[in-house]
Amino acid sequence: MIDHVLGRPSVQFRKIQVFAVVSFWSLYLLKGNNHGPPGLRNLSARLSKRLTAWQTLVITLLWLYISRNFGKLFGLECPEPLANLYNRSYFRATWVTTALDAGFWTAMRIRRKWLRDLASVVFSLYYLIAAEQADEKVRKVRGTLTVDHLRISWEKPTTPYLSFFQRLLRPKLARYPPRFLRIPRPDESSYNEPINAWLYFDGPLSSLRNHDKVILDVPGGGFVAMDPRTNDDKLLAWSGRTGLPILSLDYKKAPEFPYPYALNECYDVYHSLIATRGRCMGLDGSSQPRIIVTGDSAGGNLATGLVLMVLQSTGDEARRSSNQESLPVPAGVILIYPGLDMNIGNWMTDEQMALIQDRRMRKTNKNILRRKSEDYYKLAPETPHESDNEDDKGVPSQRGLGSKTAITLNALASSPEQPEKGAAHLVSPATVADQTASVVQSKPRALKTRLAMSSMISYFNDRILTPEMMRAMIILYVGPHNRPDFSTDFLLSPLLAPETLLARFPKTYFLTGERDPLVDDTVIFAGRIRQAKHNVFEQRKELGLVNSRDEFDEKDHVEVTLIPGISHGFFQFVSIFPEGWQHIFRCARWMDEIFAAESDQERLSRSQRGSVSDFGQHVRHHRRKPTESSGDEDRPLEMSSLRGLDDNGHASGRVSCGKGKNRKSDRGSYSRRRSLVSLASEEDLLGRRMKGLAGGLMGLTSDGTQSP
């Protein structure tokens, strides 16, 4: 109360208040009269003859509990925003994770590690019972997040007690434990330090040599936390089910290693696997390995950026002209609740909504569209509802409308110059057709909004991923010295990738919860891939390269699975969310499908490109520099148009790719080429606001100069 009276909330004031109250009453009980102050002594003396000390204690605590929950007893509580957000099993899982976060954050200041680990579990048990206090604790901490809070929250599965319980609850998935590796950098890399990784392979190293299929996993963790060991459940299940080696990267984390260091590490590992034919991880090197790239959350961002860098390198004309080998495109990509857009926005653009409302994906995105329409109608429940299908032109529903509402809306819908045709004293005897037209026109006109909130704002009260956490992760990942262009840098925000690259993207599977704040990233990026592939298909059909009777099948290029009733990060706590196991095993089946779908013709064409025994000596290394943009901010990336695309969207002609500085003859005629479906994120007001915030954190003034 003291801090409220003084008008400045302060933990120190509350601490003083608690000490003052405890000290006063302790001193009074010690020195004061046993029956209290003078006005209560007679009553206390009479009650002490009828009530024991135990009864007095229980009655006091009971009335204290009733007073604290008075609003709940009499229906005065505010509505619960999470009541219908998740399904029951996922909500129970978030209840446990919230208690664990609150307990670990409470104990984080304890210096001795053994005592801190023990206290974290004890406090977490308390917060499991006091669930509302846990929610309040987590809410306040997330309002003042630091990188230490994020790391303690996300890396708690590696603490001794939770690690023990996790192993106890985990089914027997694999016989062999993970092995630590250090992957050397390719010769062309600008870095020398090897890259840490963990190998998950359910077999002896002697049998590893015979494999030519590899799963390259990039774990999530908001770019700031979580190594592969926090994903043991997922990785052990994949290695046990598929029998394939899983190489999971322990890339360097921000803020110590900001963008694009982790992205370059991922690219260097992929390059080393190809250049050494897998020898860097224990394969025999007799054939070039076929690789599937996977990533979850922030790891999905890095995995997608890695594939885009590989696609950029394959289109380098300088490499083609010197007969240098190009990096092969991955066999497939699996993205699990990926974060693909760093430009957090409030509202969906028309281009983004068009991708979500595409007829071919309307069934998959049905619940996403319904949720976006509900964002408006929850604020105005008496408003007539438009059909979920905007193409339906039928009469709008009248549910929930009283007579007064109907009259009011009808009056608003009528023209001020013309009286209503339904008014009896103004209408002459009419035919049946006139009466029918009068009834139709007298019905209230449905109010319609074109506003559609982004999922990040729709689910801002998510229990796993909040806007405050996203803001902190982006700022830490970008770092204080980088100046990326959030509206064009598609290696930072893969959602902005140009159509020429998306047309050559490998087969991609998406797995995301419908209530995930990042679900828009999944459906929009999948829509852009689908649209780019469809445009290539139509171009080939017009050129007679495809049978005119053939129909485009988006499942050959992209598949999206949206899980109803759940949100983000469910692969990290399958011990308390058993339903997550079926989705982990689903990803394992996808891996088998990707490798099975590779045709003999593709393998033959890869073998005919020439020997790659000395691949590392001839490949021109492609890397991302810390201060450049993957758009065309300072030294633009020049790309000539494609001469032709094959069935998978790969270039059959040459693509000119190089910095404008090195191509003087083309500099004067260079003009920026935008994707036909480029998102208008540079017009997003919130995007400019985020750029201003990032500029302030980097010490830049409003005119772009560096502040002292």
Side-chain angles (χ1 to χ4, degrees), residues 270-451:
Y270 187 88
H271 191 166
S272 293
L273 287 174
I274 300 300
T276 65
R277 292 190 172 191
R279 295 188 187 93
C280 61
M281 61 172 290
L283 307 185
D284 62 3
S286 59
S287 61
Q288 183 173 292
R290 294 139 64 196
I291 302 174
I292 292 177
V293 178
T294 70
D296 64 282
S297 192
N301 179 290
L302 295 173
T304 309
L306 160 64
V307 176
L308 292 173
M309 291 179 71
V310 172
L311 292 173
Q312 277 187 311
S313 71
T314 59
D316 195 328
E317 183 177 352
R319 175 177 297 168
R320 293 175 180 272
S321 61
S322 60
N323 295 324
Q324 294 178 348
E325 289 291 339
S326 298
L327 286 176
V329 178
V333 181
I334 298 176
L335 301 178
I336 305 155
Y337 39 82
L340 303 174
D341 189 8
M342 294 296 182
N343 191 19
I344 302 176
N346 283 346
W347 309 108
M348 306 289 292
T349 65
D350 290 341
E351 291 85 355
Q352 292 171 336
M353 286 303 299
L355 293 171
I356 297 177
Q357 293 173 333
D358 188 285
R359 286 185 176 275
R360 294 185 295 269
M361 292 300 295
R362 185 165 292 172
K363 183 178 180 180
T364 302
N365 298 337
K366 177 180 63 176
N367 292 334
I368 303 294
L369 292 167
R370 179 176 57 83
R371 183 75 181 184
K372 291 186 182 301
S373 64
E374 287 177 354
D375 288 333
Y376 177 81
Y377 292 115
K378 284 181 179 179
L379 300 175
E382 298 299 320
T383 301
H385 284 221
E386 188 78 15
S387 170
D388 288 337
N389 185 347
E390 289 192 356
D391 294 335
D392 294 344
K393 302 300 182 182
V395 179
S397 172
Q398 301 289 319
R399 289 179 298 174
L401 288 176
S403 58
K404 293 183 179 180
T405 306
I407 293 173
T408 303
L409 292 177
N410 184 38
L412 292 175
S414 301
S415 173
E417 287 94 5
Q418 297 178 355
E420 292 184 19
K421 295 182 181 180
H425 64 285
L426 296 176
V427 179
S428 58
T431 62
V432 175
D434 294 333
Q435 294 175 2
T436 304
S438 175
V439 172
V440 172
Q441 293 191 13
S442 66
K443 289 188 176 182
R445 185 174 301 171
L447 299 181
K448 183 178 178 182
T449 176
R450 294 188 63 83
L451 297 179

Side-chain angles (χ1 to χ4, degrees), residues 151-197:
R151 288 174 175 172
I152 287 174
S153 173
W154 291 337
E155 294 178 353
K156 58 181 178 286
T158 59
T159 57
Y161 297 105
L162 290 189
S163 179
F164 170 77
F165 284 111
Q166 194 173 25
R167 291 195 302 269
L168 193 65
L169 296 174
R170 181 189 304 146
K172 187 66 175 179
L173 300 171
R175 298 167 297 167
Y176 290 82
R179 305 168 175 96
F180 178 75
L181 297 179
R182 289 175 67 84
I183 307 298
R185 302 267 188 172
D187 294 337
E188 295 78 13
S189 175
S190 299
Y191 307 98
N192 297 320
E193 184 181 3
I195 303 164
N196 297 333

